[in-house]
Amino acid sequence: MDVSHGPGMTGEPRDLPASPGLPDTLSDVLEVVRLTGALFFLVDARTPWVAEAPASSDLAPVILPHAQHVVSYHVVTAGDCWCESPGHAAMRLEAGDVLVVPHGDAYQLASARGLRTGWSLDDAVAWFRAMAGGQLPFVVTEGGSGPEQLRLVCGFLGCDALPFNPVLSALPPLMKVRVAGDSAGRLKALLEFAVAESIGARAGSRSVLLRIAELVFVEVLRSHLTSASSHGTGWLSGLRDPIVGRALARLHAEPARAWTLPDLGHEAGASRSVLAERFTHLVGGPPMFYLTRWRIQLAATRLAAGTAPVSLVAGEVGYESEAAFCRAFKKVTGVTPASWRSRRRAEST
């Protein structure tokens, strides 16, 4: 694959540096929601061509059985194509664009609008099962013998979507990212590394490629964080804001602290009224509402991963009583902590 056609323009904004002394909030979230590479492959296609991806609910059991959810992305490194998904406007993609499908919608990628594979759901799932099982080549050749060529880098990642994944909740069903600035060079290097790794067929190659799949996705998010409109809203926009970003960092650094709005405003360098207004506008809810949901996400991860008593987990995420924790947990998830733990253990066996 010729990654020289990959993303990389001149004159884009450079990456925003992290605030000194503050934790890396994006990394914190991605670690807690267990972002895990599931599939990573390249597509080399000529017109006419079409490919379809089933919904996450159909894909997850096949490519990463214990994952709650599957996120996919496609980096266009040469040529152009269309993305169509039921209920959403068609989206044209060209070299340098990245399509991210964060909520698990079914979709098609094709050289022209309206093309379909004619596959049944079982056919599509069988193809992905074969890819996940290593039965298909790393570089997939698609399409006919037309003159126009397309090259894609395709990644599928597993993660937790429930009870609260602030990254996913902030993204639209279909998101086009134009990789820019320093991210373009890093992404190009990652893709070159992936190609070299696939050719070498060294021991551990599959594990390396899946880690690259994760790195590519994080780099795309960072590029979006850097280049997104300053007037946008959502969790990622909140990270960019000097006041809301600092407040998010403090909440993630000390989620068990007995926060009050005045305390958080002081830490963020703003009055409580300014903080509340900006936080709600950008993140979609008040700071204490966000904190509750993040505490429940932390607790849900701990409950699923270990055998610690519910009372201990409650204290670890900032609740003084088990009863108060159980009420908050059920309000967010719809089930008790014990039921959550039992269900997740059953899903993982």
Side-chain angles (χ1 to χ4, degrees):
M1 176 181 175
D2 180 9
V3 295
S4 64
H5 291 90
M9 302 290 162
T10 58
E12 296 91 344
R14 294 182 63 82
D15 291 346
L16 296 176
S19 300
L22 290 179
D24 184 346
T25 311
L26 180 58
S27 291
D28 185 40
V29 170
L30 294 179
E31 289 166 9
V32 170
V33 301
R34 303 186 304 166
L35 185 71
T36 306
L39 278 182
F40 189 61
F41 57 92
L42 312 183
V43 172
D44 196 341
R46 286 190 176 275
T47 52
W49 67 271
V50 58
E52 299 187 22
S56 169
S57 57
D58 296 309
L59 270 184
V62 173
I63 65 175
L64 202 62
H66 302 318
Q68 275 190 14
H69 185 69
V70 170
V71 176
S72 61
Y73 65 81
H74 303 274
V75 185
V76 184
T77 63
D80 56 73
C81 65
W82 285 91
C83 173
E84 293 183 284
S85 178
H88 307 296
M91 180 182 295
R92 186 175 183 274
L93 305 165
E94 58 186 25
D97 288 337
V98 183
L99 169 71
V100 180
V101 186
H103 300 304
D105 298 70
Y107 59 97
Q108 302 83 37
L109 295 173
S111 54
R113 297 176 64 174
L115 293 180
R116 297 292 182 268
T117 62
W119 282 7
S120 67
L121 175 60
D122 288 343
D123 293 334
V125 169
W127 189 93
F128 279 96
R129 182 183 290 111
M131 177 58 76
Q135 300 169 27
L136 298 177
F138 178 71
V139 180
V140 179
T141 302
E142 295 281 356
S145 56
E148 297 179 18
Q149 186 175 28
L150 174 93
R151 294 190 178 100
L152 288 173
V153 179
C154 305
F156 292 76
L157 310 170
C159 68
D160 289 345
L162 299 173
F164 180 50
N165 184 325
V167 175
L168 293 189
S169 64
L171 300 179
L174 302 175
M175 183 175 76
K176 180 168 71 172
V177 178
R178 186 72 178 176
V179 178
D182 293 343
S183 281
R186 287 193 290 267
L187 186 59
K188 185 172 184 290
L190 285 171
L191 300 184
E192 290 174 341
F193 184 15
V195 171
E197 188 65 33
S198 69
I199 294 172
R202 300 166 60 192
S205 179
R206 182 175 183 275
S207 292
V208 170
L209 289 172
L210 293 183
R211 299 295 84 75
I212 294 175
E214 298 167 15
L215 291 172
V216 169
F217 180 68
V218 174
E219 196 57 55
V220 169
L221 285 180
R222 296 202 302 187
S223 182
H224 175 66
L225 179 61
T226 302
S227 60
S229 168
S230 59
H231 302 294
T233 59
W235 187 80
L236 290 171
S237 294
L239 289 187
R240 289 170 53 99
D241 185 85
I243 293 175
V244 176
R246 183 173 289 273
L248 284 168
R250 297 307 304 140
L251 293 177
H252 280 261
E254 298 182 89
R257 177 173 164 178
W259 287 103
T260 66
L261 193 55
D263 288 341
L264 187 60
H266 176 74
E267 295 274 358
S271 69
R272 64 180 183 177
S273 60
V274 168
L275 172 61
E277 181 181 358
R278 289 172 73 105
F279 200 104
T280 300
H281 172 69
L282 290 174
V283 181
M288 297 304 113
F289 176 77
Y290 177 90
L291 175 61
T292 296
R293 292 172 67 83
W294 183 242
R295 283 174 169 175
I296 298 306
Q297 175 62 50
L298 292 173
T301 302
R302 286 172 168 81
L303 288 167
T307 59
V310 171
S311 58
L312 179 60
V313 174
E316 289 175 344
V317 298
Y319 287 87
E320 294 183 356
S321 76
E322 182 178 345
F325 168 68
C326 289
R327 286 193 298 271
F329 194 96
K330 188 170 184 179
K331 184 176 181 180
V332 172
T333 67
V335 298
T336 65
S339 296
W340 178 273
R341 171 176 276 167
S342 298
R343 186 174 68 184
R344 290 309 306 273
R345 284 180 176 174
E347 291 172 350
S348 64
T349 56

